[in-house]
Amino acid sequence: MADKFVYLFGGGKADGNEKMKNLLGGKGANLAEMCRLGIPVPAGFTVTTECCTAYFANNSKLPASLNGQVLAALAKTESIMGMKYGNPDNPLLVSCRSGARKSMPGMMDTVLNVGLSTATIPGMIKKTNNPRFVWDSYRRLIMMYADVVMEKAEGMEPVGGKGIRKIMDDTLDQFKHSRGAKSDTDLKADDLKLLSEEFKKLVLKHLGKAFPDDPMAQLWGGIAAVFKSWNGKKAVSYRRIEGIPDAWGTAVNVQAMVFGNMGDSSATGVAFTRDPATGDNKFYGEWLVNAQGEDVVAGIRTPSPINDSTKNEQNKHLHSMQEAMPATYKALDAIRNKLEKHFTDMLDIEFTIQEGKLWMLQCRVGKRTGTAALNMAMDMLDEKLIDQKTAVQRLNPKQLDELLHPIIDPKAEKDASPIVKGLPAGPGAASGALVFTAEAAVASAKAGTKCILIREETNPEDVEGMRAAVGILTARGGMTSHAALVARGWGKCCIVGAGGMHVDAASQTAKIAGTDVVLKAGDVVTLNGTKVHVYKGSMPMVSATENPRFQKFMTMADKFRTMGVRTNAETPQDAKVARGFGAEGIGLFRFEHMFYGEGSDRPLFLLRRMIVSKTEAERRKALEEMFPFMKDDVKKTLDVMDGLPVTFRFLDPPLHEFVPNRADERQRLATDLGISIDEFNKRADALHESNPMMGHRGVRLGVSYPEMTETQTQAILEAAAELIQAGKNAKPEIMIPVTSTSAEIVDQKKIIDRVYEKVLAKFNLSKSKLVLVVGTMIEIPRACITADKFAGVCEFFSFGTNDLTQMGFGFSRDDIGSFLPHYMDRKILAADPFQTIDQEGIGELIKMGINKGRSVKPNLKIGICGEHGGEPESVKFCYKVGMSYVSCSPYRVPLARLAAAQAAIAAEAEPKAAKPTPAPKKAAAKPAARPVTKKPAAKKVAKKVAKKAVKKVTKKPAKKAAKKAAAKRPAAKKTAKKGKKR
Ligand code: PEP
Ligand code: MG
């Protein structure tokens, strides 16, 4: 660690620069850079993030050498600004602001007007000739300082939950009321002076200490409080959500104050160099005359637009800066252009005008919507501000979720107010007439009318209605509710838990609490599933996927991508959607899905009959009848994926899960088998297992019942053969699940090869015409450890990271929900390992599997088909370890494509020092040699998201299949009921 803890900026010079974000924080680095660019920035200094970490490491004590460094920097700041800190005649005031490496807007604390005291107030009044301004600044200092430094930083728990800030705010309101003042600006100098005295008394009374009157004491209190706010509740939760490491720490920026509240020639504002909602290349911002920065962001006063392009219905009557201060606006606009050119990105800027002079207080890369990110990337590319690789990096893969669904035209939404809000269950937007029952939704869809299904909560019986509706809205339920799960699976817009709404299905009305709005059947509403707003009436939609810019962007991203992207799909419909999204094959077709959903009654009946069969003959009879159904499903999917590989995975779930519980269904099966109900029940009970996830499933079924392997192989190969004879290019692959020893593959391959020979003969095809590819899932740790043996008998591996995580951690996929939140809260786990690959542990198993496999077969094709295949950080990991492809659900295909492209671009920029993973010489999807680094797992998982993911992947396969398949097929009502309702 360096001994230099303080970096100066101001007067056109700076010790730091924009590249020093890790040390100076984003704010400090950019303030330094703006100074270097000759942009007017009030002078000051940055206390480094290293000082913050030293402070925490040293029991919350500032390093001894800091004192001298701060005093020296303060002296230089004084000389640049021509004022002196604590000087009664010419006092300098400063702000203490936080600034982490990555922006954490509003999560840490700031203190303004530091240095005002009984000694400096008279000098300030004399200097400014503006007592009102000085007393206003003083009362603000007391409010902020008491709240941030004296209460929060000291860890004081406010009595009755009412903190000092709230007590002072209430006092301010009462004071305004007693003076007949509408706004803060109506208070006179004497009022504010009186208020300041009152505030000081409140501080002493409630916090037990006097507000410090010594400017130096204020400064040190401010610096330490900003450091402490790094560990404040808000900041800690935000870090959890955003995956920001605790160890980073924050910097503190101590900067000369400039004042936007010195009268009508002063102002303050925030702006974006382009529109952050639409991406339009228009300067966009808000300002307030005679105010300090926090007034704009805190919503105390309604800000005015800075220019014409920021005007909307609510603020169009207010004076813009462009109109009120044209020259200063022009100067600001010039700075906007200079900054964009320099930083080559959209920036979020803060400025203050002090008596006509413009000062820049901050600039940072601005947050933006997915649409805006896309538009800006493509515009900046056209403007030659950035190159293609940079443009591809500009979209967060998670933002694609937003882009893949129709969205409300941002221009229309800007002026609309929601009637109720809820939780984001399914993204995108939808507009339609309200229906209160699933039946009404189905009828509405049949009549060609778009509808929104509104329910108090949904249950599995609603599944057909949910399918028929364009959007779903519920008053109850969380992110993991049935509605949320199903909607997400379909990529359907859905808002759940809109608690401000009471739905009465009997009277077909929904009342919005606190308003007189009563929604009735047929009323049109619009949902924004991303913002989770519900609007009355219909609003215009735009579809980003149809947007040629989106297509162009994805094509551009693909140019840099070297890893393949397939999909997990088991219906022709899903396959079609995925192909449309750019899937280059199917990486996982789960056979069991054909026993759920539309038209599944008969195959499911036959499967059940097979399960409870006692003899091979009984089983064969059931399989024979099941065969045409299997072949038909396989054929339709192969047809949709013509020319692309389709990996069919043999039946995997524990068989007992298919056994019916209902007496009538059991009786029907018993009759069909010609056995008594007692005998049937005996057979069914015998299937019970204590640990089904480690029981009779996957390859073990094929070992016990070779006829199952035989029938599935025959269905796959005959379907392919028929398509090939019809001139199609069917490319089936057979995948054996849950293998733990290569001997299982050897055993199964004998059966598969035998069937292969038969099918070739039957259809008179050669091996080069109907190519057989057999591989295995690697989802048991033993398979990773012995992957060299597997490679000898397999043509490909596909990592089943759902089971690999389950068996590697020993965490049940079904039951992790009960303890994961505790693990996350106590920081034992940084992320849900079922959502983001645990690189430290499971990742090592994966690497071992890949390295051992390729040590035997250098060209071995290796993919992933667990849920992680569609999670951006995991996709990046898959790239790094040299996988040939990832496979994920259809709606996540573009996300995976983008994440893979970004990983390839990032790897190019990385130093080549790290040890490369051996890459196949001619693997199908061109994996390149890439460094295997040991970066810690990305920690980007919010608790809610984690919970949702757990639910998504931790159901028992059959139940999961029931829900997923039910969700996917319109006439799935009966089957859906089999899935437990949550
Ligand atoms: C897996 O285990 O990762 C996998 C894809 O298989 P399933 O989820 O069907 O067990
Ligand atoms: Mg599995």
Side-chain angles (χ1 to χ4, degrees):
M1 184 185 293
D3 289 336
K4 184 172 165 65
F5 289 126
V6 174
Y7 285 70
L8 193 77
F9 56 82
K13 289 194 207 131
D15 292 345
N17 63 54
E18 65 168 316
K19 301 221 158 54
M20 295 166 77
K21 290 199 171 64
N22 291 358
L23 186 66
L24 303 181
K27 188 190 290 259
N30 283 356
L31 280 171
E33 193 69 18
M34 283 200 289
C35 279
R36 286 168 175 266
L37 289 172
I39 288 169
V41 172
F45 53 91
T46 304
V47 185
T48 63
T49 54
E50 281 186 356
C51 184
C52 180
T53 43
Y55 171 78
F56 286 118
N58 193 20
N59 240 337
S60 297
K61 268 202 206 96
L62 293 167
S65 66
L66 186 66
N67 191 50
Q69 294 186 36
V70 164
L71 292 182
L74 189 61
K76 285 192 184 144
T77 306
E78 288 170 345
S79 113
I80 296 168
M81 298 305 287
M83 289 177 271
K84 266 192 150 356
Y85 189 71
N87 182 300
D89 301 320
N90 184 20
L92 169 75
L93 303 189
V94 297
S95 61
C96 295
R97 294 174 200 261
S98 59
R101 278 191 210 185
K102 226 174 134 184
S103 128
M104 294 170 57
M107 297 299 136
M108 285 181 289
D109 292 319
T110 290
V111 196
L112 304 179
N113 307 333
V114 177
L116 262 184
S117 67
T118 46
T120 56
I121 285 172
M124 273 301 279
I125 293 177
K126 209 163 137 209
K127 201 169 100 171
T128 61
N129 199 19
N130 190 341
R132 190 205 170 275
F133 149 73
V134 177
W135 288 113
D136 187 42
S137 304
Y138 192 47
R139 67 96 189 165
R140 288 171 189 264
L141 168 66
I142 303 168
M143 286 176 100
M144 268 190 250
Y145 198 91
D147 173 36
V148 171
V149 185
M150 300 178 75
E151 188 175 79
K152 284 199 200 121
E154 290 304 315
M156 289 182 69
E157 281 300 325
V159 182
K162 193 167 168 179
I164 190 74
R165 176 84 204 204
K166 176 82 178 99
I167 293 169
M168 290 185 184
D169 277 336
D170 290 350
T171 310
L172 174 63
D173 283 346
Q174 283 161 15
F175 201 86
K176 278 198 293 199
H177 189 70
S178 70
R179 296 288 188 278
K182 276 203 190 102
S183 142
D184 296 0
T185 48
D186 296 332
L187 292 174
K188 306 268 176 310
D190 283 347
D191 299 329
L192 293 160
K193 184 178 176 185
L194 220 68
L195 200 61
S196 303
E197 292 310 319
E198 188 57 34
F199 279 178
K200 285 206 268 188
K201 283 186 205 148
L202 289 172
V203 171
L204 189 60
K205 180 176 162 201
H206 292 277
L207 303 179
K209 266 197 252 169
F211 171 74
D213 199 36
D214 170 17
M216 270 334 274
Q218 289 178 7
L219 178 61
W220 287 111
I223 292 173
V226 172
F227 280 161
K228 282 182 190 162
S229 71
W230 175 252
N231 279 336
K233 262 192 205 153
K234 272 189 300 185
V236 171
S237 331
Y238 187 82
R239 288 207 293 277
R240 287 289 91 77
I241 295 166
E242 292 288 313
I244 299 174
D246 293 339
W248 281 4
T250 179
V252 184
N253 296 290
V254 177
Q255 190 177 21
M257 285 292 302
V258 285
F259 299 97
N261 56 341
M262 281 182 76
D264 288 346
S265 61
S266 301
T268 187
V270 291
F272 294 89
T273 55
R274 299 187 187 207
D275 188 327
T278 62
D280 288 351
N281 189 1
K282 285 179 186 154
F283 196 18
Y284 180 95
E286 293 177 327
W287 77 315
L288 271 175
V289 173
N290 197 14
Q292 269 195 339
E294 58 159 3
D295 298 344
V296 180
V297 282
I300 297 168
R301 285 162 56 191
T302 309
S304 309
I306 54 163
N307 53 16
D308 286 346
S309 51
T310 313
K311 285 194 173 176
N312 60 35
E313 279 312 300
Q314 274 97 41
N315 67 17
K316 64 182 182 198
H317 58 286
L318 299 168
H319 269 313
S320 72
M321 182 178 167
Q322 199 173 12
E323 292 153 353
M325 296 185 184
T328 322
Y329 176 77
K330 229 171 130 189
L332 183 68
D333 196 36
I335 289 174
R336 168 214 181 201
N337 292 329
K338 192 171 195 169
L339 286 174
E340 262 213 355
K341 221 177 229 150
H342 182 75
F343 286 95
T344 66
D345 203 347
M346 185 271 275
L347 300 160
D348 157 354
I349 59 179
E350 282 183 24
F351 61 92
T352 283
I353 302 156
Q354 179 175 313
E355 297 188 307
K357 170 146 178 63
L358 175 66
W359 294 95
M360 299 304 294
L361 301 186
Q362 169 163 303
C363 82
R364 63 184 170 198
V365 170
K367 300 224 182 290
R368 59 203 74 184
T369 63
T371 313
L374 171 71
N375 286 335
M376 283 178 200
M378 298 310 279
D379 280 348
M380 289 185 183
L381 186 66
D382 291 346
E383 292 160 27
K384 302 203 166 30
L385 208 55
I386 55 175
D387 62 13
Q388 289 197 350
K389 283 184 188 165
T390 311
V392 169
Q393 300 282 45
R394 285 285 163 87
L395 220 75
N396 179 340
K398 285 184 183 156
Q399 288 180 312
L400 287 184
D401 215 21
E402 206 182 301
L403 286 170
L404 293 177
H405 301 85
I407 54 165
I408 302 176
D409 186 343
K411 286 189 194 98
E413 193 169 12
K414 213 158 62 178
D415 299 331
S417 328
I419 48 168
V420 70
K421 296 178 186 177
L423 299 170
S431 194
L434 286 176
V435 290
F436 285 76
T437 62
E439 290 73 26
V442 173
S444 171
K446 266 197 190 135
T449 311
K450 284 186 180 165
C451 67
I452 305 281
L453 176 63
I454 182 170
R455 304 282 286 152
E456 187 66 17
E457 61 183 347
T458 62
N459 62 44
E461 270 90 302
D462 287 336
V463 71
E464 281 181 77
M466 291 167 73
R467 181 72 171 179
V470 292
I472 301 151
L473 172 62
T474 75
R476 279 200 270 152
M479 301 283 290
T480 56
S481 64
H482 174 75
L485 271 177
V486 172
R488 220 172 291 132
W490 284 329
K492 187 162 288 210
C493 176
C494 176
I495 296 177
V496 296
M501 175 177 89
H502 174 68
V503 182
D504 183 11
S507 65
Q508 307 238 322
T509 55
K511 287 200 179 88
I512 307 297
T515 71
D516 49 13
V517 177
V518 180
L519 300 170
K520 294 185 292 303
D523 285 354
V524 173
V525 295
T526 302
L527 312 184
N528 180 335
T530 308
K531 273 195 182 169
V532 281
H533 287 178
V534 181
Y535 302 98
K536 245 184 129 171
S538 160
M539 287 168 78
M541 303 283 164
V542 290
S543 165
T545 34
E546 286 159 26
N547 179 347
R549 285 200 125 171
F550 174 78
Q551 302 294 358
K552 203 168 152 195
F553 178 85
M554 289 308 297
T555 310
M556 181 167 76
D558 279 344
K559 263 191 5 202
F560 301 103
R561 179 166 60 87
T562 52
M563 184 169 67
V565 175
R566 296 193 187 187
T567 189
N568 293 355
E570 32 276 315
T571 66
Q573 296 93 310
D574 280 356
K576 212 178 213 159
V577 169
R579 200 168 181 163
F581 282 146
E584 294 156 326
I586 289 182
L588 176 62
F589 175 105
R590 292 176 166 107
F591 247 94
E592 55 270 24
H593 279 253
M594 69 181 59
F595 301 109
Y596 300 99
E598 191 184 11
S600 67
D601 283 359
R602 185 68 190 157
L604 180 63
F605 180 82
L606 294 167
L607 179 74
R608 287 169 163 171
R609 208 175 76 189
M610 185 206 72
I611 290 167
V612 290
S613 296
K614 206 147 192 197
T615 62
E616 189 186 324
E618 275 178 3
R619 256 189 314 275
R620 279 201 181 276
K621 193 161 174 283
L623 282 166
E624 235 168 66
E625 282 190 58
M626 269 160 65
F627 176 77
F629 293 101
M630 286 185 180
K631 193 169 110 182
D632 188 51
D633 249 33
V634 167
K635 193 170 170 182
K636 281 181 183 145
T637 303
L638 275 174
D639 196 15
V640 170
M641 297 307 280
D642 187 35
L644 298 176
V646 180
T647 308
F648 294 96
R649 186 194 63 185
F650 285 160
L651 269 167
D652 180 2
L655 293 185
H656 82 96
E657 293 196 358
F658 290 97
V659 177
N661 289 321
R662 273 179 29 201
D664 60 333
E665 286 182 346
R666 284 188 169 216
Q667 183 58 61
R668 203 153 67 90
L669 279 161
T671 311
D672 197 65
L673 278 165
I675 57 174
S676 71
I677 188 71
D678 281 353
E679 169 62 15
F680 181 91
N681 288 339
K682 225 163 52 198
R683 291 186 188 186
D685 291 348
L687 289 166
H688 174 79
E689 291 178 316
S690 300
N691 284 315
M693 276 302 203
M694 292 193 280
H696 208 177
R697 60 176 287 215
V699 68
R700 298 155 208 172
L701 299 172
V703 171
S704 302
Y705 310 125
E707 54 278 13
M708 280 178 70
T709 305
E710 223 175 87
T711 309
Q712 292 176 87
T713 307
Q714 197 178 337
I716 296 164
L717 295 181
E718 285 202 8
E722 284 175 13
L723 286 168
I724 289 168
Q725 284 194 331
K728 298 275 170 94
N729 186 8
K731 294 184 153 182
E733 298 177 344
I734 290 178
M735 181 157 76
I736 306 173
V738 203
T739 47
S740 53
T741 156
S742 56
E744 289 167 323
I745 309 272
V746 174
D747 177 87
Q748 294 294 292
K749 267 192 84 175
K750 280 187 202 140
I751 306 167
I752 295 168
D753 285 341
R754 208 169 52 232
V755 177
Y756 182 40
E757 293 297 342
K758 270 209 233 158
V759 174
L760 289 177
K762 181 172 170 186
F763 289 84
N764 197 20
L765 288 170
S766 67
K767 285 191 176 170
S768 61
K769 264 275 179 210
L770 172 57
V771 181
L772 174 64
V773 180
V774 181
T776 186
M777 290 190 74
I778 301 281
E779 49 187 344
I780 290 184
R782 193 184 188 281
C784 297
I785 297 164
T786 58
D788 45 346
K789 309 237 166 41
F790 278 84
V793 291
C794 283
E795 275 148 293
F796 68 90
F797 287 174
S798 177
F799 281 91
T801 43
N802 302 335
D803 274 313
L804 191 59
T805 302
Q806 168 167 263
M807 313 227 193
F809 266 98
F811 288 165
S812 160
R813 289 164 68 169
D814 291 345
D815 308 307
I816 191 177
S818 56
F819 55 86
L820 180 70
H822 310 143
Y823 272 63
M824 304 282 284
D825 283 351
R826 305 253 287 277
K827 302 186 199 165
I828 295 171
L829 282 179
D832 171 7
F834 285 101
Q835 194 183 32
T836 304
I837 287 179
D838 155 55
Q839 297 187 24
E840 191 182 61
I842 306 302
E844 285 299 310
L845 284 172
I846 294 173
K847 279 191 216 162
M848 183 192 288
I850 294 175
N851 292 338
K852 287 201 159 202
R854 291 215 176 118
S855 70
V856 171
K857 244 184 211 164
N859 290 343
L860 189 65
K861 186 171 63 176
I862 298 178
I864 180 176
C865 61
E867 285 286 315
H868 306 88
E871 192 279 322
E873 289 308 318
S874 307
V875 171
K876 289 178 184 174
F877 171 78
C878 293
Y879 172 84
K880 278 190 186 148
V881 296
M883 283 199 196
S884 320
Y885 67 87
V886 294
S887 188
C888 56
S889 62
Y891 278 91
R892 289 168 108 188
V893 165
L895 181 156
R897 282 165 65 195
L898 179 56
Q902 290 181 344
I905 293 170
E908 258 181 53
E910 264 174 27
K912 303 247 180 283
K915 192 173 127 235
T917 293
K921 281 185 195 111
K922 58 171 191 56
K926 324 162 253 175
R930 287 175 286 270
V932 180
T933 53
K934 290 196 177 180
K935 281 189 192 154
K939 299 168 185 168
K940 289 188 175 171
V941 184
K943 246 192 272 173
K944 259 187 199 164
V945 178
K947 213 170 140 199
K948 148 186 114 182
V950 170
K951 290 287 183 189
K952 200 169 169 187
V953 300
T954 55
K955 283 166 281 144
K956 287 179 184 167
K959 283 174 191 151
K960 171 172 66 184
K963 247 183 217 167
K964 221 172 139 194
K968 281 178 184 156
R969 299 182 186 190
K973 192 169 168 181
K974 270 188 224 149
T975 320
K977 278 184 199 156
K978 284 170 214 138
K980 246 191 291 172
K981 183 200 163 224
R982 260 184 283 256

